[in-house]
Amino acid sequence: MNSIPSLFQKIKIDHSWAFADKTRKDTTYLTHGYHRYPAKFIPQIVSRLTSKYTKIGDLILDPFGGCGTTLVESKVMGRPSIAVDINPVAVLITKAKITPIDPVKIEEEFTALKNKLVEYSEKIKVKVPTHERIDYWFKPEEKRRLAFIFAEISRIKNQDVRDFFFCGFSNILKNCSIWLQKSNKPTRDFEKKPSEPIKTFLKQIKMMLRGNTRLFDLLSERGYLKVPSKVICTDARTISAKTNSVNLIVTSPPYVTSYEYADLHQLTALWLEHTTDLSDFRKRFIGTSYHSKKDLFLNSALAEKIRSELLRKDKKTADEVSTYFSEMNQVFVEMKRMLKRGGKTCIVIGNTRLKGVEILNAEVFTEQLQNLGLKIVDIIKREIPSKNLPSIRDEQTGRFASIKEKNKIYVYPTEYILVMEK
Ligand SMILES: C[S@@+](CC[C@H](N)C(=O)[O-])C[C@H]1O[C@@H](n2cnc3c(N)ncnc32)[C@H](O)[C@@H]1O
């Protein structure tokens, strides 16, 4: 038996990493609550890893930065940081979250914007977007009001202020559309009554103003206002950070066949004109199966085994999963290049199941990183208490089970934090 799966089988859940006592308020403190984002991790994971493995001034990287959780935590802990994400919407959100604006200035800007927005009437001329996908998701009245807000934000000269308001604008789009509220998948709900855009926007900004003030005050108090944090919209395989420059990587990669970032963020991408071609937008993400399937190098015997098992069930899925593992290996090569000797990488990842085959992401990543020359420092298994949908497992083996099975037990989903050292 491959030694990595047997190593993983021995790992017990470490309950201290569940942060089960943390409320929503704790996980959305400072600017963390600005914007919803699928599969974001909680700031407590980042801060604990950061205190354990770095000191003030050390450089932190997140190659799959998402909505900027790693960067916010790094900044408040006095560590310079860099994040990369292929999704321009993630970059906009991150920029807003890591850029504290003088509370007096942003209040003035908000008052000026609010005064214009409350003047809205049907008589005011508004240039509405003509993209057919916008018409697909928005009813004419909400579209017109959103276009009015959008035009007023666009007039703001200061880019940080404009990004702050665009981030707020982005977060209200789902509520103001006919997107099925409970779903991250692109489904329309013709019964839905969309929220009124102007009222919703003002409420959203008030929430963000409180977060901004808290971040600004905390950073001023600690003398960290100028700690550099940078976010770049690019592919995780092409990061420009210098070789041997990074002390710590903290990241949660995308999952295979996960379309949710490209899907959900199409609303913002369409309004902010990040894209006019949605299929092209989707193709940029790792895990979305559009990429070339030639010259795959999985760099893991376990990944090869998963590929063979899948090939017996479904070739398309086998190709998708192999492409995913091969692309992740390319990211790991880059991560290793940027890490300093002795630097750590912490990868938060769970396992999944496709076509009846267990996709052991955590085990495969560990093997790939080992094959690249990194050493295991720690493997933490944690429960994810916020996802209160327990999955069904076999009592004896702990493996996924069907609802009909006799020995089934319900367990909370778990994930791993792989800590490896260069
Ligand atoms: C699980 S999320 C990260 C969430 C993040 N930890 C947070 O707290 O917000 C994975 C991210 O990987 C990004 N991603 C997917 N493919 C990418 C690629 N080729 N290069 C860089 N980022 C990519 C997605 O846009 C998504 O934001």
Side-chain angles (χ1 to χ4, degrees), residues 37-42 62-70 84-87 90 97 234-237 251-255 261 284-287 291 331:
Y37 202 85
K40 62 172 158 185
F41 49 27
I42 55 170
D62 188 344
F64 296 109
C67 68
T69 313
T70 304
V84 154
D85 203 288
I86 199 75
N87 180 2
K97 283 166 69 170
T234 188
D235 192 292
R237 289 161 290 180
T251 198
S252 58
Y255 284 75
Y261 310 105
R284 300 180 213 159
F285 293 76
I286 286 182
H291 310 156
V331 178

Side-chain angles (χ1 to χ4, degrees), residues 106-121 124 148-149 152 156 165 198 201-202 205-206:
I106 194 76
E107 279 290 349
E108 279 169 16
E109 294 276 2
F110 178 54
T111 307
L113 181 61
K114 188 169 71 185
N115 289 343
K116 287 186 197 136
L117 296 184
V118 294
E119 292 288 294
Y120 176 82
S121 90
I124 294 180
F148 180 66
I149 303 173
E152 290 304 333
I156 296 171
F165 289 127
I198 296 174
F201 177 74
L202 296 177
I205 298 299
K206 281 186 193 147

Side-chain angles (χ1 to χ4, degrees), residues 71-84:
L71 259 54
V72 174
E73 287 304 293
S74 301
K75 192 158 180 135
V76 298
M77 295 176 78
R79 275 75 162 164
S81 55
I82 305 174
V84 154

Side-chain angles (χ1 to χ4, degrees), residues 247-258:
N247 297 84
L248 178 70
I249 295 174
V250 184
T251 198
S252 58
Y255 284 75
V256 66
T257 68
S258 58

Side-chain angles (χ1 to χ4, degrees), residues 85-297:
D85 203 288
I86 199 75
N87 180 2
V89 183
V91 173
L92 168 74
I93 302 169
T94 303
K95 269 192 192 152
K97 283 166 69 170
I98 58 171
T99 311
I101 303 172
D102 184 335
V104 177
K105 180 176 166 54
I106 194 76
E107 279 290 349
E108 279 169 16
E109 294 276 2
F110 178 54
T111 307
L113 181 61
K114 188 169 71 185
N115 289 343
K116 287 186 197 136
L117 296 184
V118 294
E119 292 288 294
Y120 176 82
S121 90
E122 269 157 35
K123 290 189 201 100
I124 294 180
K125 240 177 125 191
V126 179
K127 187 170 172 284
V128 289
T130 51
H131 200 290
E132 56 176 24
R133 292 298 290 181
I134 291 190
D135 292 333
Y136 182 88
W137 289 115
F138 297 91
K139 293 181 181 173
E141 184 53 35
E142 284 78 32
K143 182 172 101 165
R144 199 170 183 283
R145 285 168 187 252
L146 285 166
F148 180 66
I149 303 173
F150 181 84
E152 290 304 333
I153 302 174
S154 304
R155 269 191 257 280
I156 296 171
K157 297 226 163 49
N158 181 303
Q159 190 175 346
D160 291 346
V161 175
R162 220 168 45 229
D163 284 346
F164 177 87
F165 289 127
F166 273 140
C167 172
F169 178 80
S170 168
N171 199 37
I172 68 161
L173 289 174
K174 188 179 176 194
N175 289 17
C176 300
S177 72
I178 56 165
W179 192 297
L180 180 64
Q181 198 60 29
K182 284 199 189 106
S183 174
N184 275 345
K185 301 213 163 67
T187 314
R188 288 193 288 181
D189 171 5
F190 293 100
E191 304 291 302
K192 177 172 164 183
K193 195 176 174 304
S195 306
E196 193 288 308
I198 296 174
K199 231 169 85 192
T200 312
F201 177 74
L202 296 177
K203 192 168 160 219
Q204 160 82 23
I205 298 299
K206 281 186 193 147
M207 174 274 283
M208 288 171 63
L209 288 174
R210 290 191 292 273
N212 174 67
T213 304
R214 289 194 189 117
L215 180 68
F216 189 90
D217 290 349
L218 184 69
L219 292 174
S220 317
E221 209 179 284
R222 296 185 177 174
Y224 292 161
L225 270 174
K226 296 232 151 55
V227 170
S229 44
K230 195 160 105 181
V231 53
I232 309 158
C233 192
T234 188
D235 192 292
R237 289 161 290 180
T238 58
I239 305 176
S240 56
K242 287 195 199 98
T243 303
N244 299 327
S245 64
V246 172
N247 297 84
L248 178 70
I249 295 174
V250 184
T251 198
S252 58
Y255 284 75
V256 66
T257 68
S258 58
Y259 296 91
E260 55 209 330
Y261 310 105
D263 280 343
L264 184 59
H265 293 137
Q266 63 176 273
L267 298 180
T268 310
L270 288 166
W271 273 95
L272 299 194
E273 294 174 358
H274 291 311
T275 188
T276 49
D277 178 354
L278 280 175
S279 74
D280 175 63
F281 184 59
R282 275 176 151 215
K283 278 182 202 154
R284 300 180 213 159
F285 293 76
I286 286 182
T288 47
S289 84
Y290 287 99
H291 310 156
S292 149
K293 291 167 190 84
K294 288 184 210 105
D295 305 325
L296 295 186
F297 174 50

